[in-house]
C-alpha cells in the first residue's frame, strides 16, 4: 500500500518492502547493463568482419560458407613456420577472387614456393621486416641522396650522337653504359647502370617501375655512399631513380682476371687477388656488428678500377636491422630465391635464418675457383645434388696434388677456403679474419 510519508514503502508479492528512491536506481543499472550488452554485441560483429583482429587459425576453424569464398593471404611474419601457411597457400590456389592486400604476386609466389620446399626446416625466427623489435641500425639505412641534376647535366642525348654514350653489357638486373667526356679529356670515363626490365616476362617494363625495384637501387646507392672511404668498394658519382653512375671499370671483372691467372699459373698473384677480395668484404662487414649483407657475392661482382680490385653491385643487398631487445645482435633474415646457383651457403639451401656469414661462404666459393681452377661443385655434382651435399655438410672435392702441395700459396688458399666453408654459420669466421690471414701470408 502506497503512503504519502517518507517512510512509505512498496510491497512485493513475497512481502519484500522496497524504498521508493531505490527503484529508480534499479532501473538505471538495468539500462546500463543492457547498454553494455549492446556494445559487446556490436564489437563482436565488427571483429567478425575484420579478420586481422583475431588469429588466422581461429578464423579458418570458424569460417562459415560466405567467409570460405574470400582469399586470405598468409601473414608474412609466420613465413612458412606452421601448417597454417600451407593451408592458406592451398586455399589461394583453389580460389579465383582476391582480397586486396599489400603483398604483390611475386612475393606470394615466393612464399608458396618456400612453404612446399622439402628442405625447409619448421623453425620460428624473427623476421626483420615485420618484427617490431627489429629496428634500423642507423638513420642512414633509411636515407637517400639523389643528385638528379648532375645526371641531367651529362647531356646524354648529345653524347649519344657523338659516340660518347655506349652500351657495354647487361646483367641480371641492369644494363650498363659507358659515358665518355672528350671535350677536355680531363674527366674519367663513367659507367651508367640502369635498372632493366625483367627479361622473358611480358610485363617486364611495368615490373621495372615497382617500388621494390626502386628500393633495390636506393639500397645499392646508399651502400656505395657509406663505403666510399673503402679502397676495395666501388665509388658512386650519382644516383637518381633507377640510375646509378660510378667510375668505369677499365680493368674488367675479377672473373676475367682469374682466367688469365690460371693460364699463367701465377701463384703469388692469386694470393694477392683473394686477399684484396676478402678486404672488400671485410669493409662491408665493418662495425660492432655487420649492418650490410651483399647477398650475391661472386667473382663477377668484383671489378678492377685503375688497377685496384673493388666490390660493387649491391642490388640484392640486405640492410640488416638491430634487435632492440639485444642491441649487440642483428636480426636474422630469410631470403627466398629459386636460383641460388651453387656458390651459396648451406643455411640458404636449407631455408634457415641467415646472417652476414652467408657472404663469407660465397667468398670461399671464389677462393675454390682460384685454388683449383674449377667452379665449385661444377665437375662433381649437378646443381640439385650439390645443394643436398651442402646440406649434409659435405665439402667439394680437392685434388690430391693441391691438398698435398708444398706451395705456400696453395696451402694459404686451401686454409682460407676451409675457414670460409665452415658449415655452422655461428662458427664461420668474419671476412676480416680471412683477409688478415691471407694478407699475413702475402
Amino acid at each position: 500500500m502506497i503512503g504519502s510519508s517518507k517512510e512509505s514503502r512498496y510491497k512485493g508479492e513475497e512481502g519484500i518492502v522496497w524504498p521508493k528512491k531505490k527503484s529508480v536506481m534499479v532501473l538505471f543499472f538495468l539500462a546500463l547493463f543492457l547498454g553494455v550488452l549492446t556494445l559487446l554485441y556490436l564489437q563482436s560483429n565488427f571483429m567478425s568482419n575484420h579478420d586481422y583482429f583475431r588469429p588466422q587459425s581461429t578464423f579458418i576453424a570458424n569460417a562459415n560458407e560466405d567467409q570460405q569464398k574470400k582469399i586470405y593471404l598468409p601473414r608474412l611474419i609466420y613465413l612458412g613456420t606452421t601448417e597454417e601457411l600451407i593451408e592458406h597457400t592451398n586455399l589461394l590456389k583453389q580460389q579465383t577472387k582476391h582480397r586486396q592486400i599489400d603483398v604483390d604476386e611475386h612475393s606470394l609466389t615466393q612464399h608458396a614456393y618456400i612453404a612446399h620446399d622439402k628442405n625447409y626446416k619448421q623453425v620460428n625466427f624473427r623476421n626483420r621486416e615485420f618484427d617490431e623489435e627489429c629496428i634500423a641500425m642507423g638513420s642512414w639505412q633509411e636515407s637517400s641522396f639523389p643528385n638528379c641534376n648532375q645526371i641531367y647535366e651529362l647531356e646524354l642525348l648529345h653524347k649519344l650522337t657523338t659516340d660518347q654514350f655506349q652500351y657495354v653489357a647487361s646483367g641480371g638486373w641492369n644494363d650498363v653504359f659507358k659515358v665518355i667526356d672528350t671535350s677536355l679529356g680531363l674527366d674519367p670515363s663513367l659507367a651508367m647502370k640502369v635498372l632493366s626490365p625483367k627479361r622473358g616476362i611480358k610485363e617486364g617494363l611495368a615490373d621495372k617501375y615497382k617500388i621494390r625495384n626502386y628500393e633495390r637501387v636506393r639500397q645499392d646507392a646508399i651502400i656505395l655512399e657509406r663505403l666510399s672511404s673503402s679502397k676495395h668498394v666501388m665509388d658512386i658519382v650519382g644516383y637518381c631513380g633507377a640510375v646509378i653512375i660510378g667510375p668505369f671499370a677499365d680493368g674488367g671483372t675479377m672473373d676475367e682476371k682469374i682466367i688469365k691467372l690460371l693460364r699463367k699459373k701465377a701463384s703469388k698473384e692469386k694470393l694477392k687477388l683473394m686477399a684484396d677480395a676478402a678486404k672488400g668484404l671485410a669493409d662491408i662487414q665493418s662495425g660492432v656488428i655487420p649492418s650490410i649483407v651483399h647477398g650475391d657475392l661472386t667473382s663477377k661482382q668484383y671489378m678492377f678500377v685503375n688497377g685496384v680490385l673493388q666490390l660493387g653491385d649491391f642490388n640484392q643487398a640486405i640492410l640488416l636491422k638491430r634487435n632492440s631487445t639485444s642491441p649487440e645482435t642483428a636480426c636474422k633474415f630469410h631470403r627466398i630465391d629459386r636460383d641460388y646457383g651453387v656458390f651459396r651457403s648451406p643455411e640458404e639451401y636449407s631455408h634457415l635464418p641467415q646472417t652476414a656469414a652467408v657472404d663469407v661462404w660465397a667468398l670461399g666459393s671464389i677462393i675454390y675457383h682460384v685454388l683449383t681452377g674449377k667452379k665449385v661443385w661444377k665437375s662433381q655434382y649437378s646443381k640439385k645434388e650439390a645443394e643436398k651435399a651442402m646440406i649434409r655438410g659435405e665439402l667439394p672435392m680437392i685434388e690430391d696434388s693441391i691438398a698435398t702441395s708444398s706451395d705456400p700459396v696453395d696451402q694459404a688458399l686451401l686454409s682460407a677456403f676451409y675457414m670460409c666453408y665452415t658449415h655452422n654459420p655461428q662458427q664461420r669466421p668474419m671476412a676480416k679474419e680471412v683477409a688478415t690471414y691471407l694478407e699475413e701470408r702475402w
Side-chain angles (χ1 to χ4, degrees):
M1 184 172 182
I2 303 175
S4 58
S5 67
K6 293 182 180 180
E7 299 297 323
S8 59
R9 301 284 188 270
Y10 288 100
K11 192 173 183 180
E13 294 180 359
E14 298 181 4
I16 301 175
V17 178
W18 299 88
K20 184 177 180 180
K21 290 184 178 180
K22 288 188 176 180
S23 63
V24 178
M25 295 176 63
V26 170
L27 291 174
F28 172 79
F29 284 113
L30 180 60
L32 181 62
F33 177 72
L34 291 175
V36 172
L37 287 179
T38 302
L39 288 174
L40 291 174
Y41 172 79
L42 291 175
Q43 184 184 24
S44 175
N45 186 56
F46 178 79
M47 291 177 66
S48 66
N49 292 322
H50 296 77
D51 63 285
Y52 46 78
F53 280 97
R54 54 183 173 168
Q56 290 188 359
S57 56
T58 303
F59 178 83
I60 293 176
N62 299 331
N64 56 38
E65 185 175 352
D66 291 334
Q67 290 168 333
Q68 290 287 357
K69 295 178 182 179
K70 298 179 181 179
I71 296 301
Y72 294 89
L73 302 186
R75 294 290 186 268
L76 298 189
I77 198 169
Y78 297 144
L79 184 60
T81 60
T82 63
E83 292 296 327
E84 183 175 310
L85 174 62
I86 299 176
E87 186 175 355
H88 283 203
T89 305
N90 291 334
L91 181 62
L92 285 170
K93 293 179 179 180
Q94 298 170 5
Q95 306 298 327
T96 56
K97 297 180 180 180
H98 294 270
R99 177 169 69 92
Q100 295 298 317
I101 194 170
D102 224 2
V103 178
D104 59 29
E105 183 179 355
H106 172 76
S107 299
L108 177 61
T109 302
Q110 295 292 68
H111 282 61
Y113 163 71
I114 188 69
H116 291 86
D117 193 286
K118 62 183 179 180
N119 294 331
Y120 185 73
K121 306 292 185 183
Q122 299 233 350
V123 295
N124 289 289
F125 61 92
R126 309 190 80 90
N127 188 306
R128 65 188 185 92
E129 296 294 337
F130 303 97
D131 194 325
E132 293 182 356
E133 292 184 1
C134 294
I135 60 176
M137 291 197 185
S139 59
W140 67 268
Q141 290 187 325
E142 300 170 340
S143 301
S144 179
F145 305 104
N147 55 345
C148 300
N149 286 348
Q150 287 181 297
I151 295 179
Y152 297 148
E153 289 170 4
L154 290 173
E155 298 181 343
L156 296 178
L157 182 59
H158 170 71
K159 291 184 181 297
L160 182 63
T161 60
T162 57
D163 200 31
Q164 297 178 69
F165 184 63
Q166 305 167 358
Y167 170 78
V168 177
S170 295
W173 290 97
N174 300 284
D175 294 323
V176 181
F177 301 86
K178 184 177 182 180
V179 182
I180 308 170
D181 188 351
T182 59
S183 56
L184 296 175
L186 300 177
D187 291 337
S189 297
L190 300 175
M192 174 178 282
K193 188 168 64 171
V194 183
L195 186 70
S196 58
K198 284 190 174 180
R199 291 161 178 77
I201 301 179
K202 59 181 180 180
E203 62 274 12
L205 189 59
D207 182 81
K208 171 182 177 178
Y209 297 106
K210 288 184 177 179
I211 293 177
R212 60 187 174 88
N213 286 333
Y214 279 108
E215 176 63 10
R216 283 192 176 102
V217 181
R218 184 197 72 84
Q219 286 192 169
D220 192 352
I222 198 65
I223 291 171
L224 291 173
E225 186 274 334
R226 292 296 295 185
L227 295 170
S228 58
S229 62
S230 171
K231 178 182 177 181
H232 295 288
V233 176
M234 293 198 73
D235 291 329
I236 181 170
V237 175
Y239 148 64
C240 180
V243 175
I244 289 179
I245 294 182
F248 185 76
D250 52 357
T253 67
M254 181 183 181
D255 198 51
E256 296 167 345
K257 181 70 171 180
I258 292 174
I259 295 174
K260 293 178 182 178
L261 290 179
L262 293 175
R263 287 173 181 168
K264 294 194 305 181
K265 297 186 182 298
S267 181
K268 195 72 172 178
E269 287 185 57
K270 294 180 185 178
L271 188 57
K272 176 66 165 58
L273 182 69
M274 289 316 308
D276 288 345
K279 288 177 186 177
L281 183 57
D283 288 340
I284 293 175
Q285 295 184 349
S286 61
V288 178
I289 53 176
S291 58
I292 301 170
V293 175
H294 188 282
D296 190 31
L297 194 71
T298 67
S299 54
K300 293 181 179 180
Q301 312 296 9
Y302 285 94
M303 289 156 280
F304 285 92
V305 180
N306 296 325
V308 179
L309 184 67
Q310 297 184 340
L311 176 59
D313 199 357
F314 293 89
N315 282 127
Q316 297 192 54
I318 300 288
L319 293 177
L320 294 176
K321 293 188 176 184
R322 186 192 308 278
N323 186 341
S324 61
T325 61
S326 180
E328 299 302 316
T329 305
C331 290
K332 295 182 179 180
F333 64 94
H334 190 256
R335 170 168 282 176
I336 304 169
D337 195 338
R338 298 188 187 192
D339 189 19
Y340 279 133
V342 292
F343 56 88
R344 300 289 184 91
S345 63
E347 57 266 30
E348 290 174 275
Y349 296 117
S350 300
H351 304 302
L352 293 172
Q354 296 147 36
T355 66
V358 299
D359 282 344
V360 178
W361 182 281
L363 179 66
S365 298
I366 302 175
I367 294 175
Y368 182 91
H369 186 195
V370 173
L371 176 64
T372 66
K374 301 175 183 177
K375 297 281 188 178
V376 67
W377 299 109
K378 190 169 183 180
S379 60
Q380 190 173 350
Y381 288 127
S382 66
K383 179 178 176 295
K384 286 296 182 183
E385 290 172 337
E387 290 179 10
K388 295 176 183 178
M390 278 182 275
I391 293 172
R392 291 194 303 265
E394 188 175 333
L395 293 175
M397 183 174 58
I398 302 288
E399 295 179 0
D400 291 339
S401 59
I402 297 174
T404 59
S405 173
S406 59
D407 185 337
V409 171
D410 285 345
Q411 292 176 358
L413 290 176
L414 184 60
S415 297
F417 164 73
Y418 285 132
M419 290 171 68
C420 296
Y421 262 48
T422 301
H423 192 269
N424 186 341
Q426 295 180 342
Q427 298 175 1
R428 200 174 300 153
M430 298 292 290
K432 185 176 181 179
E433 297 177 54
V434 181
T436 301
Y437 173 82
L438 290 172
E439 190 172 24
E440 287 175 350
R441 277 140 189 84
W442 162 249

